mmCIF file of all heavy atoms in Angstrom:
data_model
loop_
_atom_site.group_PDB
_atom_site.id
_atom_site.type_symbol
_atom_site.label_atom_id
_atom_site.label_comp_id
_atom_site.label_asym_id
_atom_site.label_seq_id
_atom_site.Cartn_x
_atom_site.Cartn_y
_atom_site.Cartn_z
ATOM 1 N N PRO A 333 -48.996 6.846 61.285
ATOM 2 C CA PRO A 333 -47.870 5.969 61.317
ATOM 3 C C PRO A 333 -46.821 6.631 62.353
ATOM 4 O O PRO A 333 -46.974 7.780 62.858
ATOM 5 C CB PRO A 333 -47.253 6.314 59.934
ATOM 6 C CG PRO A 333 -47.702 7.604 59.533
ATOM 7 C CD PRO A 333 -49.119 7.837 60.141
ATOM 8 N N GLY A 334 -45.848 5.811 62.664
ATOM 9 C CA GLY A 334 -44.855 6.289 63.589
ATOM 10 C C GLY A 334 -43.618 6.953 62.936
ATOM 11 O O GLY A 334 -42.789 7.532 63.674
ATOM 12 N N LEU A 335 -43.515 6.864 61.659
ATOM 13 C CA LEU A 335 -42.404 7.231 60.858
ATOM 14 C C LEU A 335 -42.775 7.451 59.429
ATOM 15 O O LEU A 335 -43.505 6.559 58.975
ATOM 16 C CB LEU A 335 -41.283 6.280 61.036
ATOM 17 C CG LEU A 335 -39.961 6.442 60.278
ATOM 18 C CD1 LEU A 335 -39.208 7.683 60.717
ATOM 19 C CD2 LEU A 335 -39.100 5.126 60.234
ATOM 20 N N ILE A 336 -42.148 8.432 58.712
ATOM 21 C CA ILE A 336 -42.290 8.466 57.273
ATOM 22 C C ILE A 336 -40.815 8.508 56.689
ATOM 23 O O ILE A 336 -40.126 9.421 57.210
ATOM 24 C CB ILE A 336 -43.131 9.759 56.739
ATOM 25 C CG1 ILE A 336 -44.592 9.615 57.165
ATOM 26 C CG2 ILE A 336 -43.028 9.840 55.290
ATOM 27 C CD1 ILE A 336 -45.360 10.746 56.762
ATOM 28 N N VAL A 337 -40.588 7.655 55.854
ATOM 29 C CA VAL A 337 -39.268 7.686 55.107
ATOM 30 C C VAL A 337 -39.446 8.040 53.760
ATOM 31 O O VAL A 337 -40.287 7.481 52.964
ATOM 32 C CB VAL A 337 -38.601 6.156 55.187
ATOM 33 C CG1 VAL A 337 -37.162 6.291 54.625
ATOM 34 C CG2 VAL A 337 -38.567 5.683 56.627
ATOM 35 N N ILE A 338 -38.735 9.050 53.298
ATOM 36 C CA ILE A 338 -38.741 9.515 51.857
ATOM 37 C C ILE A 338 -37.505 8.996 51.138
ATOM 38 O O ILE A 338 -36.444 9.206 51.591
ATOM 39 C CB ILE A 338 -38.778 11.025 51.811
ATOM 40 C CG1 ILE A 338 -39.735 11.559 52.818
ATOM 41 C CG2 ILE A 338 -39.000 11.490 50.344
ATOM 42 C CD1 ILE A 338 -41.205 11.705 52.377
ATOM 43 N N GLY A 339 -37.778 8.193 49.964
ATOM 44 C CA GLY A 339 -36.681 7.614 49.263
ATOM 45 C C GLY A 339 -36.946 7.718 47.755
ATOM 46 O O GLY A 339 -37.906 8.475 47.308
ATOM 47 N N GLY A 340 -36.112 7.078 46.963
ATOM 48 C CA GLY A 340 -36.145 7.132 45.459
ATOM 49 C C GLY A 340 -35.255 8.284 45.058
ATOM 50 O O GLY A 340 -34.675 9.049 45.602
ATOM 51 N N ARG A 341 -35.063 8.268 43.583
ATOM 52 C CA ARG A 341 -34.065 9.077 42.979
ATOM 53 C C ARG A 341 -34.410 10.566 43.195
ATOM 54 O O ARG A 341 -33.504 11.354 43.402
ATOM 55 C CB ARG A 341 -34.047 8.809 41.532
ATOM 56 C CG ARG A 341 -33.478 7.361 41.179
ATOM 57 C CD ARG A 341 -32.052 7.449 40.681
ATOM 58 N NE ARG A 341 -31.329 6.318 40.935
ATOM 59 C CZ ARG A 341 -30.813 5.587 39.855
ATOM 60 N NH1 ARG A 341 -30.885 6.026 38.604
ATOM 61 N NH2 ARG A 341 -30.078 4.488 40.059
ATOM 62 N N VAL A 342 -35.714 10.976 43.038
ATOM 63 C CA VAL A 342 -35.980 12.393 43.130
ATOM 64 C C VAL A 342 -35.699 12.921 44.561
ATOM 65 O O VAL A 342 -35.405 14.020 44.755
ATOM 66 C CB VAL A 342 -37.492 12.693 42.621
ATOM 67 C CG1 VAL A 342 -37.907 14.104 42.904
ATOM 68 C CG2 VAL A 342 -37.560 12.317 41.202
ATOM 69 N N ALA A 343 -35.973 11.911 45.565
ATOM 70 C CA ALA A 343 -35.717 12.343 46.939
ATOM 71 C C ALA A 343 -34.193 12.778 47.199
ATOM 72 O O ALA A 343 -33.860 13.327 48.236
ATOM 73 C CB ALA A 343 -35.977 11.202 47.890
ATOM 74 N N ARG A 344 -33.255 12.467 46.273
ATOM 75 C CA ARG A 344 -31.909 12.976 46.394
ATOM 76 C C ARG A 344 -31.806 14.506 46.201
ATOM 77 O O ARG A 344 -30.794 15.131 46.341
ATOM 78 C CB ARG A 344 -31.010 12.326 45.347
ATOM 79 C CG ARG A 344 -30.801 10.852 45.693
ATOM 80 C CD ARG A 344 -29.922 10.165 44.896
ATOM 81 N NE ARG A 344 -30.258 8.814 45.052
ATOM 82 C CZ ARG A 344 -29.867 7.774 44.253
ATOM 83 N NH1 ARG A 344 -29.145 8.088 43.130
ATOM 84 N NH2 ARG A 344 -30.230 6.509 44.480
ATOM 85 N N LEU A 345 -33.005 15.144 45.947
ATOM 86 C CA LEU A 345 -33.025 16.631 45.982
ATOM 87 C C LEU A 345 -32.822 17.016 47.441
ATOM 88 O O LEU A 345 -32.507 18.290 47.719
ATOM 89 C CB LEU A 345 -34.301 17.067 45.468
ATOM 90 C CG LEU A 345 -34.626 16.888 43.966
ATOM 91 C CD1 LEU A 345 -36.039 16.854 43.568
ATOM 92 C CD2 LEU A 345 -33.692 17.775 43.137
ATOM 93 N N GLY A 346 -32.973 16.081 48.362
ATOM 94 C CA GLY A 346 -32.516 16.197 49.704
ATOM 95 C C GLY A 346 -33.292 17.191 50.505
ATOM 96 O O GLY A 346 -34.481 17.316 50.464
ATOM 97 N N HIS A 347 -32.611 18.062 51.348
ATOM 98 C CA HIS A 347 -33.237 18.850 52.443
ATOM 99 C C HIS A 347 -34.225 19.928 51.949
ATOM 100 O O HIS A 347 -35.196 20.070 52.577
ATOM 101 C CB HIS A 347 -32.243 19.287 53.383
ATOM 102 C CG HIS A 347 -31.683 18.172 54.155
ATOM 103 N ND1 HIS A 347 -32.341 17.585 55.176
ATOM 104 C CD2 HIS A 347 -30.515 17.346 54.063
ATOM 105 C CE1 HIS A 347 -31.676 16.522 55.637
ATOM 106 N NE2 HIS A 347 -30.571 16.380 54.878
ATOM 107 N N PRO A 348 -33.949 20.700 50.777
ATOM 108 C CA PRO A 348 -35.064 21.725 50.389
ATOM 109 C C PRO A 348 -36.358 20.832 50.129
ATOM 110 O O PRO A 348 -37.404 21.343 50.579
ATOM 111 C CB PRO A 348 -34.493 22.112 49.012
ATOM 112 C CG PRO A 348 -33.081 21.662 48.977
ATOM 113 C CD PRO A 348 -32.814 20.641 49.801
ATOM 114 N N LEU A 349 -36.334 19.625 49.673
ATOM 115 C CA LEU A 349 -37.563 18.906 49.332
ATOM 116 C C LEU A 349 -38.182 18.386 50.697
ATOM 117 O O LEU A 349 -39.368 18.560 51.070
ATOM 118 C CB LEU A 349 -37.210 17.669 48.527
ATOM 119 C CG LEU A 349 -38.380 16.642 48.301
ATOM 120 C CD1 LEU A 349 -39.522 17.275 47.543
ATOM 121 C CD2 LEU A 349 -37.877 15.420 47.485
ATOM 122 N N LEU A 350 -37.266 17.880 51.600
ATOM 123 C CA LEU A 350 -37.660 17.324 52.908
ATOM 124 C C LEU A 350 -38.366 18.386 53.708
ATOM 125 O O LEU A 350 -39.358 18.202 54.292
ATOM 126 C CB LEU A 350 -36.487 16.620 53.653
ATOM 127 C CG LEU A 350 -36.893 16.015 54.889
ATOM 128 C CD1 LEU A 350 -37.719 14.745 54.634
ATOM 129 C CD2 LEU A 350 -35.605 15.589 55.718
#
Side-chain angles (χ1 to χ4, degrees):
L335 171 70
I336 294 178
V337 185
I338 314 277
R341 293 255 160 120
V342 175
R344 289 181 200 165
L345 295 162
H347 288 282
L349 173 63
L350 185 66

